Amino acid sequence: MDNMLCDELLQEIFSRLASKSSPSPPSSQALSVSLVSKRWLRLYRASKTSISLRLTPENSTIQSLPSLLSHYPFLSSLSLVFSSDPTLTTTNSITTAFNDHLLIIVSTFCSKLKHLRFLAGPVSLSSLVSLSNTCALLTSLTIVLSRPLFFSWVTYFSNLKELSIYVSDSNGIVDEFYSNRESDLCLNQEIDAELGLESLYLSGIIRDDSGFGWLWRSCKKLKKLQLKSCEGIGDGGSFLSFIRCLKGLQELELRTCRSIVDGVLLRLAENCDSLNSLLVYDGGSREGLLHFINNCSCNLQKLDLRLPLDLNNDHLSAIAVNFRGLSTVRLQSCCLVTGEGLKALGIAMSSELKELALINCDVVERESGLLATLGQHLRQLRKLDLSHNESLHDKEFISMLVSCNNLTELRLRGCKRLTSVAILSMFKSCKRLESVDILHCCGIEAEAIESFVLNSPRLRRMQVEESKVSDVARTWASHKFIEILA
């Protein structure tokens, strides 16, 4: 049989298997293939287009990485991460040289890359310019940089659409490449460029960081901006450029950026009418958020908030009035919200809302009848997430479920007081469910899970403890191509 299958056919089979959902992890699949023959293992590796590696910062890593990557000649996506936090690495000439060496190895053996996530630690700017020459197809790049920051190297990546930068806590050494070529037009940050970037992620910016004015001015096509743990948007000259960058923005995410959230939201309301998705986690003020909601002219489609002590019913009422077109609302750990505010939201969005998340929200457990009311108004829901509501009872959950017959995705992770009764109600009321997460639901037993798997005709993915999956359920899942993840 082995001789009858040509290399091309085997590679096609392996690539199709890799693209299908499989209950076996990649390492298990590779081990199974290697037991057949060395030829099969070689072809299996050649069929892989994406791998992720977690490495240790040792010399043996540099010695073994070339051999490993040489087995995967057609990689288009690579993630390389160290076991420790790369942004906390002490950046000096030795560690930077080590990281640069790794990056050279990657570029040498993976010239077909389109997506690279390189979080081994800070790299030099000259190594990035070299990377642009060898990996010219890159459309997505994730890296760590140390201060002082320069960004004009981005112009060398002509196909780059997505850029993620983690700023290291430690200061680096000014790159000789940049020091010797300050007059080079392509590296001169006084001259604007027109970058093709559509998505930008920045983590760890402080108020005095230089170079961002050039970056903001050069991002004329930016659609998605993500800021995390940022205390500023760059030095004084960056502010006006940042405002101009907001005009065509469609998605904005602000995570743990308390000192800048109010200012960003204020400018967003004044200068952007194209935003359709907003996420704010752990930052801002009640007044700043309320001002944005009342003055924003955007047709917002998705709103995701985790503001334990800053979100209250006033905000929900304003959202109900000003953002009636929302299709997704996600609220997490909102301690000051009551049932009255959520009911107002549900009534206002009864015909539009397709996804609702109330994660770790006390009000879900505290106010009897709330979920039943929401279910009656939100009959068009497709996705529902009630994760980590530890005191949620069967009765409250089922009272909502009977009205939500169109659900395709349901997440109940960490709802410890739900029992097998809730599972039985799920397959009776929700015949269209395709994805379910019931991890850490202590009261749900294996017998109920088996019944759910056998009686859910559209189920394709389920997250549950492996110990709760019976042999019967596992066999049925295999026959029906249902992916079960622990």
Side-chain angles (χ1 to χ4, degrees), residues 84-103:
S84 57
D85 186 344
T87 64
L88 300 180
T89 303
T90 302
T91 308
N92 52 41
S93 59
I94 297 176
T95 56
T96 301
F98 180 86
N99 299 330
D100 286 352
H101 197 162
L102 287 180
L103 194 58

Side-chain angles (χ1 to χ4, degrees), residues 276-469:
N276 57 50
S277 178
L278 175 66
L279 178 150
V280 182
Y281 283 3
D282 307 322
S285 68
R286 299 180 190 179
E287 295 78 11
L289 180 60
L290 190 60
H291 181 274
F292 170 80
I293 296 170
N294 287 326
N295 292 276
C296 178
S297 59
C298 304
N299 181 24
L300 210 61
Q301 301 291 309
K302 181 177 180 179
L303 185 62
D304 190 340
L305 303 174
R306 187 177 70 194
L307 302 167
L309 300 177
D310 296 313
L311 187 76
N312 57 33
N313 283 354
D314 292 339
H315 299 98
L316 296 188
S317 298
I319 292 170
V321 172
N322 296 287
F323 296 144
R324 289 181 175 272
L326 281 171
S327 61
T328 298
V329 173
R330 298 183 59 84
L331 305 178
Q332 298 186 48
S333 306
C334 300
C335 305
L336 304 181
V337 167
T338 71
E340 181 182 352
L342 287 174
K343 289 174 185 177
L345 202 65
I347 293 171
M349 301 174 184
S350 58
S351 61
E352 298 294 334
L353 202 63
K354 299 296 187 295
E355 179 178 354
L356 175 66
L358 300 173
I359 302 170
N360 189 30
C361 290
D362 295 343
V363 64
V364 171
E365 308 160 7
R366 190 173 63 242
E367 297 197 21
S368 177
L370 171 61
L371 291 183
T373 302
L374 289 177
Q376 291 167 8
H377 290 293
L378 302 174
R379 295 179 181 271
Q380 303 303 315
L381 275 184
R382 299 293 187 272
K383 298 180 181 181
L384 176 63
D385 190 345
L386 298 175
S387 298
H388 304 295
N389 290 298
E390 296 185 357
S391 299
L392 178 62
H393 289 279
D394 291 338
K395 182 179 178 180
E396 290 296 316
F397 171 64
I398 294 172
S399 68
M400 181 178 191
L401 212 61
V402 294
S403 301
C404 298
N405 307 126
N406 294 312
L407 287 179
T408 61
E409 182 177 315
L410 181 59
R411 297 177 62 86
L412 301 169
R413 179 176 299 201
C415 294
K416 298 180 178 180
R417 302 194 69 170
L418 290 182
T419 71
S420 298
V421 175
I423 289 291
L424 297 177
S425 177
M426 281 164 54
F427 70 74
K428 288 180 180 178
S429 300
C430 305
K431 300 293 185 181
R432 301 181 181 183
L433 277 176
E434 298 174 4
S435 178
V436 173
D437 184 350
I438 50 174
L439 274 171
H440 311 308
C441 295
C442 310
I444 297 176
E445 300 174 348
E447 185 178 351
I449 292 172
E450 180 180 304
S451 297
F452 180 75
V453 172
L454 296 177
N455 291 280
S456 299
R458 297 193 181 185
L459 189 64
R460 289 296 173 263
R461 179 186 175 93
M462 188 175 194
Q463 292 180 268
V464 65
E465 288 81 359
E466 189 174 353
S467 60
K468 293 184 179 181
V469 184

Side-chain angles (χ1 to χ4, degrees), residues 217-231:
R217 289 195 306 273
S218 301
C219 289
K220 297 180 174 66
K221 299 179 181 179
L222 200 62
K223 297 178 181 178
K224 182 175 183 179
L225 176 62
Q226 298 168 281
L227 302 177
K228 182 178 180 181
S229 303
C230 293
E231 300 175 5

